[in-house]
């Protein structure tokens, strides 16, 4: 048995370390960070990863850095220059007319986080999502959650399941997600049909989502479409 001091963090002002006044300055997010115990407030912290989940992660990272003795300016610089990791809200193409973002999201909650992050940055733009389900078993187990998450998009292109290590399961395909979706602006298609379909659309914000080989297609999509 050992004793340890614990700290709470989040976007709740009652936490020991909290972030508030969260707003977007495309392509960045800005927030204020507070250390309640020491009555310390840092305003206008800028970081490159959007979404409330990333704000919470940044809140914890700032708190740990502060507890280890890092000074404010070094922490601010680290947040400003952090570029994230491959396939986690990765900016593939940015222009005044169109944005292309790729994300590894393959669980309903991850899909919602990525879609809502894009929505918070581009509230006035149409968001088109391409989702490639990963694993037959995951598709079967989370079909309702996938349908609910994809309904948050303005336009959905749903690809075949990427099987990875699994053999097909009878009755399980992307169509079971497709059929449960309420969003009428949806298309079910194969990976080989994707590029030609994208060429027919007016794309404002494009999200590619999934843990399969869709990540290997981003360069070809970018050069073919944008």
């Amino acid at each position: 048995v050992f004793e340890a001091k614990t700290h709470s963090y989040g976007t709740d002002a009652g936490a020991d370390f909290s972030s508030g006044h969260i707003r977007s300055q495309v392509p960045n997010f800005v927030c204020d960070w507070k250390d309640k115990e020491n009555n310390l407030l840092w305003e206008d912290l800028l970081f490159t990863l959007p979404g409330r989940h990333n704000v919470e992660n940044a809140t914890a990272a700032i708190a740990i850095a502060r507890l280890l003795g890092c000074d404010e300016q070094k922490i601010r610089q680290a947040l400003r220059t952090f570029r994230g990791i491959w396939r986690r809200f990765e900016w593939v193409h940015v222009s005044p007319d169109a944005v292309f973002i790729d994300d590894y999201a393959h669980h309903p909650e991850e899909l919602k986080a990525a879609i809502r992050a894009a929505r918070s940055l581009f509230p006035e733009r149409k968001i088109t999502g391409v989702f490639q389900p990963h694993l037959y078993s995951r598709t079967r187990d989370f079909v309702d959650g996938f349908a609910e998450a994809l309904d948050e998009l303005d336009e959905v292109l749903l690809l075949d399941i990427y099987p990875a290590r699994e053999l097909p399961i009878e009755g399980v395909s992307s169509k079971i997600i497709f059929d449960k979706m309420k969003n009428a602006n949806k298309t079910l298609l194969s990976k080989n049909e994707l590029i030609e379909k994208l060429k027919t659309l007016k794309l404002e914000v494009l999200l590619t989502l999934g843990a399969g080989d869709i990540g290997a297609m981003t360069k070809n999509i970018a050069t073919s479409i944008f």
Side-chain angles (χ1 to χ4, degrees):
V1 178
F2 65 93
E3 294 184 0
K5 185 175 182 180
T6 61
H7 300 277
S8 58
Y9 73 92
T11 54
D12 185 333
D16 297 329
F17 302 103
S18 62
S19 291
H21 192 204
I22 303 163
R23 61 269 191 206
S24 64
Q25 292 180 3
V26 179
N28 303 304
F29 255 42
V30 182
C31 70
D32 300 339
W33 181 87
K34 185 176 182 180
D35 175 349
K36 185 172 69 172
E37 181 178 344
N38 295 299
N39 195 29
L40 180 66
L41 177 65
W42 292 351
E43 296 181 317
D44 301 328
L45 289 165
L46 184 148
F47 56 104
T48 57
L49 300 180
R52 183 164 293 271
H53 58 303
N54 283 317
V55 173
E56 292 176 346
N57 290 341
T59 303
I62 297 166
I64 292 169
R66 184 64 181 168
L67 290 169
L68 291 174
C70 294
D71 66 55
E72 178 182 352
Q73 291 309 311
K74 287 184 177 179
I75 292 173
R76 285 182 179 272
Q77 181 182 13
L79 286 172
R80 281 197 308 270
T81 57
F82 180 62
R83 292 293 175 251
I85 59 176
W86 180 63
R87 299 212 65 223
R88 283 302 189 188
F89 215 85
E90 182 180 0
W91 299 82
V92 181
H93 170 85
V94 180
S95 70
D97 298 323
V99 173
F100 176 19
I101 298 163
D102 180 49
D103 196 277
Y104 189 74
H106 56 285
H107 182 278
E109 293 306 313
E110 293 176 341
L111 288 177
K112 289 178 183 178
I115 294 166
R116 291 172 184 177
R119 185 76 68 191
S120 67
L121 285 171
F122 304 103
E124 304 301 323
R125 294 196 186 188
K126 181 184 74 170
I127 299 179
T128 301
V130 179
F131 178 52
Q132 181 188 50
H134 184 262
L135 301 178
Y136 292 101
S137 58
R138 183 180 289 122
T139 302
R140 176 198 61 199
D141 295 344
F142 295 103
V143 58
D144 292 329
F146 284 132
E148 180 182 316
L150 294 173
D151 277 339
E152 296 193 18
L153 291 162
D154 298 310
E155 186 172 41
V156 182
L157 304 181
L158 184 58
L159 303 183
D160 295 334
I161 295 171
Y162 182 79
R165 60 188 177 272
E166 292 187 337
L167 295 174
I169 297 174
E170 185 177 355
V172 177
S173 69
S174 294
K175 192 173 186 303
I176 65 173
I177 299 174
F178 188 84
D179 289 343
K180 283 184 174 287
M181 289 177 58
K182 297 177 182 177
N183 187 343
N185 197 8
K186 58 185 178 178
T187 303
L188 187 65
L189 71 168
S190 71
K191 185 177 64 176
N192 293 334
E193 298 172 303
L194 178 60
I195 297 290
E196 291 306 312
K197 177 63 177 179
L198 289 172
K199 288 179 179 179
T200 69
L201 304 177
K202 178 174 173 51
L203 299 172
E204 298 178 9
V205 177
L206 175 64
L207 293 179
T208 48
L209 305 158
D213 60 359
I214 190 170
M217 296 182 65
T218 56
K219 184 176 180 180
N220 190 22
I221 291 172
T223 55
S224 299
I225 306 301
F226 302 106

